[in-house]
Amino acid sequence: MNGEPVVAGHEMSGQSDGIVFTRNGSVGRITLDRPKSLNALTLDIVHALHACLDEWQRAAGTVLVFDSSSDKAFCAGGDVRRIRQNALAGRHADNVEFFTAEYELNLRLAELDTPLVSVIDGICFGGGLGLSVHGAFRVLTERATLAMPETGIGFLPDVGASYFLSRLPGAVGTYLGLTGYRLDAADALYVGLGTHRVADAGMVISALERRTGSVDHALRALSPGTAPAPPGRLASHRDDIDWCFGANTVTEIRTRLGALSTQWAEDSLAALDAASPQSLEVTMSTLAMGKQMGLRKCLSMELDIATRIVRTRDFCEGVRARLVDKDGRPVWVSLPNDDFADVKQGLWAGPPVDRPRVR
């Protein structure tokens, strides 16, 4: 397969709509190739990614690279419009199948024996972080924008977010999970979601193919500039983030934010106000529990909750308002309610389907 592409996916309108897997010597490369959809993940794409990993692991090289054919997006996350359609049509088994396959993929990526290098050039939201953050190296360009925006559509930060957000410094993970704050490259490097910065995403593959030392050394050599980059916006609010979002409840977070007379506090309160109350409570709980569990157990918990929450009124309404009708005016269901009572069972009960596992 040296240098020969294997196209995974299907043809649509004469354009490749899937994934391209190539190998040049010991360097493998998986390129997400759905630019019109910003590489949104569907069940077919997740299965194709599993197939690429199967091919790679049959004769693994020294490093595997994840990148995108688009300069706008690495991956915009899961195709939540389709998930909503499934829920409204009662096709709940299809959603269970999708989330199970996606979370199994996240776990496989975390357990790869070879280093995984994700090149993030453009947006990387939700499921895109699930493809990248579990690997050893996350290489960012200046166009990189990272976020877990799920509370704004009535969902929860998933793909292992209860594991990786809960392990960020201080209360940063809670802040990111509740507000959906969008990190630029400087922010992502500051909190550890990014590991390296490059001026041009196209430099990464050639640098890895000609390297003589470690992957880390090759990536460091690509760092732009001759002086340290500024730490970004997030660093300037770190003390307030740790104080306000270090509270144990959403109510107390609001109280602490309300006591600050700053634009950042106002913006943070506005983000909480725009989110689903159900999603905020669920996210607080999953992040707290995720601190005491390994990745596999976190994914199992998220699988149980995700398959429940997509059947709720808040999820269907959030996706409608943000991504279908795009009126930006979701009408959330007040707490407590029957939907929330069912979703909370996922925090304590065992999952109703098989736990995610590497095939």
Side-chain angles (χ1 to χ4, degrees):
M1 280 191 47
N2 191 15
E4 294 298 319
V6 175
V7 180
H10 57 277
E11 294 296 316
M12 179 177 289
S13 302
Q15 296 182 359
S16 174
D17 184 48
I19 301 159
V20 178
F21 173 48
T22 58
R23 180 166 179 161
N24 189 5
S26 66
V27 179
R29 181 180 188 180
I30 298 175
T31 301
L32 301 171
D33 189 30
R34 300 184 71 218
K36 289 184 178 180
S37 69
L38 302 180
N39 295 321
L41 297 174
T42 65
L43 182 60
D44 286 346
I45 295 302
V46 171
H47 283 326
L49 287 169
H50 275 292
C52 289
L53 292 184
D54 291 341
E55 181 69 25
W56 173 251
Q57 290 179 314
R58 275 191 279 272
T62 60
V63 60
L64 180 63
V65 178
F66 242 133
D67 65 2
S68 166
S69 63
S70 169
D71 60 1
K72 294 181 179 179
F74 173 74
C75 174
D79 188 348
V80 292
R81 282 184 287 261
R82 182 173 299 187
I83 294 168
R84 176 180 181 267
Q85 290 170 355
N86 289 341
L88 292 174
R91 296 190 296 267
H92 303 305
D94 289 351
N95 285 338
V96 171
E97 184 181 7
F98 170 75
F99 286 119
T100 302
E102 184 185 24
Y103 298 174
E104 286 177 345
L105 180 64
N106 302 146
L107 193 57
R108 286 188 75 178
L109 293 170
E111 295 180 349
L112 276 180
D113 290 333
T114 48
L116 178 65
V117 177
S118 295
V119 184
I120 301 174
D121 185 24
I123 66 172
C124 180
F125 295 165
L129 279 166
L131 296 181
S132 56
V133 76
H134 299 300
F137 305 103
R138 284 87 62 190
V139 182
L140 312 176
T141 72
E142 289 305 315
R143 287 192 294 262
T145 304
L146 285 65
M148 295 299 290
E150 289 81 5
T151 60
I153 59 167
F155 194 52
L156 79 154
D158 65 333
V159 296
S162 61
Y163 179 83
F164 65 79
L165 287 183
S166 67
R167 284 160 175 78
L168 295 183
V172 168
T174 302
Y175 170 65
L176 299 180
L178 293 181
T179 67
Y181 172 83
R182 296 188 176 192
L183 303 92
D184 61 17
D187 289 331
L189 289 165
Y190 171 70
V191 302
L193 291 176
T195 61
H196 299 77
R197 186 200 306 251
V198 296
D200 181 1
M203 302 165 60
V204 175
I205 285 290
S206 59
L208 293 174
E209 288 175 346
R210 66 173 185 268
R211 69 185 168 86
T212 57
S214 69
V215 171
D216 181 61
H217 186 270
L219 295 175
R220 286 178 182 273
L222 300 178
S223 179
T226 58
R233 299 165 295 165
L234 201 60
S236 64
H237 301 299
R238 177 63 189 281
D239 289 343
D240 288 341
I241 288 172
D242 286 352
W243 166 242
C244 294
F245 287 85
N248 281 332
T249 66
V250 175
T251 299
E252 180 59 23
I253 289 173
R254 290 181 182 276
T255 298
R256 294 183 183 186
L257 286 170
L260 298 180
S261 299
T262 65
Q263 187 61 51
W264 172 83
E266 290 182 15
D267 292 342
S268 297
L269 277 170
L272 296 180
D273 290 341
S276 157
Q278 171 178 269
S279 294
L280 294 176
E281 295 295 339
V282 169
T283 299
M284 281 290 288
S285 296
T286 56
L287 292 179
M289 295 187 69
K291 287 185 178 182
Q292 62 195 38
M293 300 190 297
L295 177 59
R296 184 185 295 268
K297 287 187 177 180
C298 283
L299 286 167
S300 296
M301 174 181 65
E302 291 172 13
L303 176 60
D304 192 6
I305 297 169
T307 54
R308 294 171 185 265
I309 205 169
V310 296
R311 301 172 69 161
T312 67
R313 290 165 287 178
D314 266 14
F315 174 77
C316 293
E317 171 65 4
V319 176
R320 179 207 65 77
R322 306 294 188 196
L323 299 172
V324 179
D325 297 336
K326 299 182 180 179
D327 57 40
R329 295 191 298 271
V331 179
W332 306 121
V333 181
S334 299
L335 295 178
N337 59 66
D338 292 342
D339 285 348
F340 183 55
D342 178 68
V343 171
K344 284 201 302 182
Q345 294 300 310
L347 292 167
W348 319 113
V353 293
D354 289 343
R355 291 177 180 244
R357 61 181 183 272
V358 176
R359 293 183 295 178

